[in-house]
């Protein structure tokens, strides 16, 4: 049996064959394609109400406002503006700002670097290696329980508070653990992206998806929650079952891995004998790592909105943290862990710098992905795309309308990976159409968030996918091959649920 499931990238045979482009190349190609499409798609906009929401039936074309020179400038500056640019409230365009304001990918970029420093310092203490070894030994005959537990927890976090970009911090922990249990890198990717993704797809009280969309549709966040809860249970079970099927397949026959094997992957195995006991320093570091991630999750959940609704006042103990605060949390955590782990000042700073270097590639991927949205904003074609899709669902039966809303929002989700941004743009247009189709507006919310969640399982313009596979060192084409059958299954189930919801009324 060969040591690798795929051709060795360094072999002469591999060098002569065509290889799928890297994530950087894919994103650059998508950026250029969207930029070229803007020459064909006319710019347009909707009128907006006092809250900034577009008003249905008010779409109108705009005169060409950019010269070819300006558009060329936008193309080359798109990734830069995606990193640190700010959006002009009057024009909607994104450009550079020297005031230090963060827009788009900057906060996520710095968060990824901070997580890299934190994890690298933790590994430098030897505590994570020891902990992973003991956990792998303890689960060597029941490793499937770990996959189930991770995916269920991530799904619950996704449905409650939109756990998405935050998953980027878990790859450095879960990839070596999955390898130690006899799985491959794709198993870790599937457990993380698909686990959290199916939760976001079936959001119940997620304020960034369900909350924003329900508010834009003019309905309470609890409307339609029964259907979404049933979808959450069924689709999560199906997703967990799919990842387990793949994981066991690879565990039985490593040649069937869809991610392939990096040098050294096959040597990371759970010990047949019990590893040595952990030192007190190592135990303390593991507790600090666990508490840091647990505190991260606690700090970002809008508890009052989840428990009492979108208009509830924040609880006194609610932190409302986001990426800037989380970045500081992991940087401080890296220093504390370095001191507790006994690294010393010199070794600790070396590990922090190494962590920045190891994770900067994933951060750049995130910046490139955000540049696509910048181009769409600056050429003002987003509303034109929405207006064209709006006409597709008008005048259909209730069941076809519900499914149609889902289908027309899929391409919008590809172009606008931000759930809150997508909802703010699309829901004020789509929700009033539900009244004419004789379906509840809550079903439009469910159809919209299903489209957003389904598309974001694979779209290369979202940091969750491109950043995740970059951290796991998995090629995008191989990830698409892995997730493609699951997406087909989820597509059918979503359409069935939406049609049934329209029929029940």
């Amino acid at each position: 049996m060969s040591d690798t499931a795929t051709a060795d990238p360094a072999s002469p045979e591999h060098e002569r064959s065509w290889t799928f482009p890297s994530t950087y190349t894919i994103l650059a190609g998508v950026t250029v394609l969207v930029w070229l499409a803007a020459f064909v798609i006319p710019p347009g906009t909707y009128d907006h109400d006092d809250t900034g929401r577009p008003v249905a039936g008010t779409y109108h074309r705009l005169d060409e406002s950019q010269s070819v020179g300006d558009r060329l400038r936008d193309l080359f500056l798109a990734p830069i503006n995606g990193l640190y640019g700010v959006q002009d409230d009057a024009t909607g365009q994104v450009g550079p700002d020297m005031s230090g304001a963060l827009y788009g990918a900057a906060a996520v970029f710095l968060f990824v670097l901070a997580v890299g420093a934190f994890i690298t310092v933790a590994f430098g203490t030897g505590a994570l290696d020891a902990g992973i070894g003991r956990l792998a030994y303890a689960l060597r005959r029941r490793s499937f329980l770990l996959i189930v537990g991770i995916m269920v927890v991530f799904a619950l976090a996704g449905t409650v508070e939109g756990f998405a970009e935050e998953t980027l911090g878990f790859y450095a922990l879960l990839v070596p653990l999955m390898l130690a249990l006899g799985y491959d890198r794709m198993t870790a990717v599937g457990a993380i992206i698909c686990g959290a993704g199916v939760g976001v797809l079936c959001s119940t009280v997620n304020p960034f998806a369900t909350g924003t969309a329900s508010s834009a549709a003019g309905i309470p966040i609890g409307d339609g929650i029964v259907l979404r809860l049933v979808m959450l249970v069924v689709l999560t079970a199906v997703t967990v079952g799919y990842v387990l099927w793949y994981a066991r397949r690879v565990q039985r026959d490593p040649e069937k891995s869809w991610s392939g094997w990096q040098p050294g992957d096959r040597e990371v195995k759970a010990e047949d004998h019990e590893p040595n006991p952990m030192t007190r320093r190592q135990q303390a570091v593991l507790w600090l790592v666990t508490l840091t991630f647990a505190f991260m999750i606690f700090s970002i959940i809008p508890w009052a909105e989840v428990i009492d609704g979108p208009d509830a006042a924040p609880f006194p103990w609610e932190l409302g943290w986001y990426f800037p605060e989380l970045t500081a949390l992991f940087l401080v955590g890296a220093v504390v862990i370095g001191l507790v782990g006994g690294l010393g000042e010199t070794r600790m700073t070396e590990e922090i710098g190494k962590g920045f270097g190891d994770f900067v590639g994933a951060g750049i991927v995130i910046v490139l992905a955000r540049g696509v949205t910048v181009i769409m904003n600056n050429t003002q074609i987003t509303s034109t795309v929405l207006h064209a899709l709006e006409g597709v669902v008008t005048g259909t039966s209730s069941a076809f309308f519900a499914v149609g809303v889902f289908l027309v929002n899929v391409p919008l989700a590809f172009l606008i990976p931000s759930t809150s941004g997508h909802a703010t743009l699309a829901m004020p247009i789509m929700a009033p159409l539900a009244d004419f189709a004789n379906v509840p507006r809550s079903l439009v919310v469910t159809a919209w968030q299903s489209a957003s969640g389904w598309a974001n399982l694979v779209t290369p313009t979202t940091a969750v996918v491109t950043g995740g596979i970059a951290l796991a060192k998995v090629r995008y084409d191989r990830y698409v091959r892995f997730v493609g059958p699951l997406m087909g299954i989820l597509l059918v189930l979503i359409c069935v649920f939406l049609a049934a919801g329209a029929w029940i009324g």
Side-chain angles (χ1 to χ4, degrees), residues 38-65:
F39 283 96
V40 179
I41 301 173
T45 188
Y46 288 90
D47 292 338
H48 294 75
D49 59 20
D50 295 337
T51 64
R53 300 170 184 166
V55 179
T58 63
Y59 172 81
H60 55 277
R61 295 280 180 87
L62 295 173
D63 294 332
E64 294 284 348
S65 57

Side-chain angles (χ1 to χ4, degrees), residues 16 30 40 71 191 293 313 375 383 419:
R16 289 193 300 267
V30 171
V40 179
R71 293 198 175 194
F293 277 98
I375 289 178
S383 293
T419 52

Side-chain angles (χ1 to χ4, degrees), residues 259-298:
S259 62
W261 303 92
Q262 298 287 326
D265 282 359
R266 304 291 294 278
E267 284 72 46
V268 183
K269 295 292 183 184
E271 298 288 345
D272 293 328
H273 59 279
E274 186 172 1
N276 294 328
M278 299 180 64
T279 66
R280 290 190 175 182
R281 278 185 182 273
Q282 290 174 334
Q283 292 175 1
V285 168
L286 280 185
W287 274 110
L288 286 172
V289 170
T290 302
L291 290 174
T292 300
F293 277 98
F295 186 73
M296 176 192 77
I297 295 172
F298 168 82

